[in-house]
Amino acid sequence: MERQEGCKGCSESVQVSPEKLQRIVEIATRGREKVPEEKYNRRIEQCEQCPGLQYGTTCQYCGCLVAVKARLLESACPYPFAPKWS
């Protein structure tokens, strides 16, 4: 068995299609409190400008898919210096 160097997050194979991402969001948010659409969009905009966004979908600080994390009411921005969500 060949040893993989680095983490699996360093591989382009972790990219998620928009369709699959939408399905993951639906499943992950079932039965959980969600933020209003306006707040969700604001969070996503802040994530898109963050240097920690990888592959356009994943937060390098917590490993979460930002579309899921930004949708959930109980979530907080994990940016280590000063959280970007208010």
Side-chain angles (χ1 to χ4, degrees):
M1 180 177 209
E2 188 176 311
R3 184 169 186 251
Q4 178 181 353
E5 293 298 319
C7 68
K8 72 178 185 177
C10 298
S11 165
E12 289 188 34
S13 68
V14 298
Q15 292 184 342
V16 181
S17 72
E19 297 80 20
K20 187 171 184 176
L21 183 59
Q22 182 59 38
R23 182 73 179 131
I24 292 168
V25 170
E26 288 171 14
I27 292 167
T29 59
R30 251 185 233 154
R32 299 169 79 181
E33 280 194 77
K34 298 175 232 171
V35 296
E37 195 68 23
E38 183 179 307
K39 188 168 190 171
Y40 170 76
N41 290 332
R42 200 167 44 248
R43 286 179 172 188
I44 291 295
E45 285 175 16
Q46 291 165 324
C47 290
E48 287 173 347
Q49 296 173 18
C50 181
L53 183 65
Q54 296 180 320
Y55 308 110
T57 59
T58 307
C59 176
Q60 84 173 29
Y61 302 110
C62 68
C64 292
L65 292 169
V66 296
V68 172
K69 190 163 187 114
R71 183 64 73 183
L72 297 172
L73 183 64
E74 76 267 7
S75 293
C77 172
Y79 188 70
F81 306 107
K84 297 181 179 287
W85 300 346
S86 49

